[in-house]
Amino acid sequence: MTKLLSHISISPATLADAEAILEIYASYVRDSSVSFEADPPSLAEIEARISANLCSHGYFVAKEAGVILGYAYGSQYRPRPAYNTTAEVSVYLAPQAKGCGLARALYKVLLAHLAARGFHTVIGIVTTPNPASVRLHNACGFELVGTLREVGRKFDNWHGTAIYQRMIGNDETAA
């Protein structure tokens, strides 16, 4: 672990964290194809997303000296009851926090939280190309289970998605 990680605390997000979360996420929306959103969401939308996912799936922030450097959350994978023990997971970092293991630390906390809540499977959807996210998901024990080619168009370019899956539940007979 780097020196940066020795001073990091990871805790559940609060609505007071929404502005900093929006600041991190907005750069992904504006400057990259990592997110397929065309425009950054409003502060009210980020607050609604935190509220919707915090209790059901978990929403965590990583802070150093009170400054949010990244966040991770789980959300509903699909709306059918059969998917109730499957969660989609996401992680985003501030530029200065990339490359120090913070995303892995956030995922570790989130995945433990989801497993404790009875979730069995987690899904990570990665826009391609995105080598850093591929490395992250591989390092966190996810397996590439499929790809969808040219399913999103942003900045006049086609992008695919890679679907990563990891079993986290206690029922190892299904794994």
Side-chain angles (χ1 to χ4, degrees):
M1 298 271 173
T2 67
K3 183 177 180 185
L4 174 68
L5 287 182
S6 67
H7 297 92
I8 296 292
S9 65
I10 297 176
S11 60
T14 69
L15 292 181
D17 299 324
E19 193 170 338
I21 289 169
L22 175 57
E23 185 177 329
I24 291 169
Y25 183 62
S27 68
Y28 286 91
V29 174
R30 282 191 309 265
D31 305 327
S32 78
S33 297
V34 168
S35 168
F36 282 172
E37 290 197 63
D39 298 305
S42 68
L43 181 59
E45 175 59 26
I46 292 295
E47 291 172 340
R49 292 177 188 184
I50 293 169
S51 294
N53 294 315
L54 183 61
C55 292
S56 62
H57 293 79
Y59 211 117
F60 294 91
V61 293
K63 295 180 182 180
E64 180 180 44
V67 175
I68 294 177
L69 296 176
Y71 65 98
Y73 64 93
S75 59
Q76 182 179 36
Y77 172 63
R78 294 186 127 183
R80 306 276 191 297
Y83 297 112
N84 283 349
T85 58
T86 299
E88 186 172 336
V89 294
S90 298
V91 62
Y92 292 93
L93 300 178
Q96 70 271 27
K98 293 180 181 178
C100 66
L102 184 57
R104 278 182 283 171
L106 279 161
Y107 258 177
K108 182 178 180 180
V109 170
L110 176 62
L111 297 182
H113 172 81
L114 288 165
R117 293 188 47 82
F119 284 87
H120 179 69
T121 305
V122 291
I123 305 292
I125 309 291
V126 176
T127 300
T128 58
N130 187 341
S133 192
V134 168
R135 284 191 302 274
L136 168 66
H137 285 85
N138 287 332
C140 290
F142 286 74
E143 176 185 358
L144 176 66
V145 294
T147 57
L148 301 171
R149 296 176 301 178
E150 298 184 5
V151 294
R153 189 159 176 82
K154 190 167 180 183
F155 304 132
D156 294 323
N157 292 304
W158 288 107
H159 297 278
T161 55
I163 303 165
Y164 285 82
Q165 179 179 13
R166 179 176 167 187
M167 304 309 196
I168 60 169
N170 293 329
D171 181 9
E172 295 303 324
T173 60

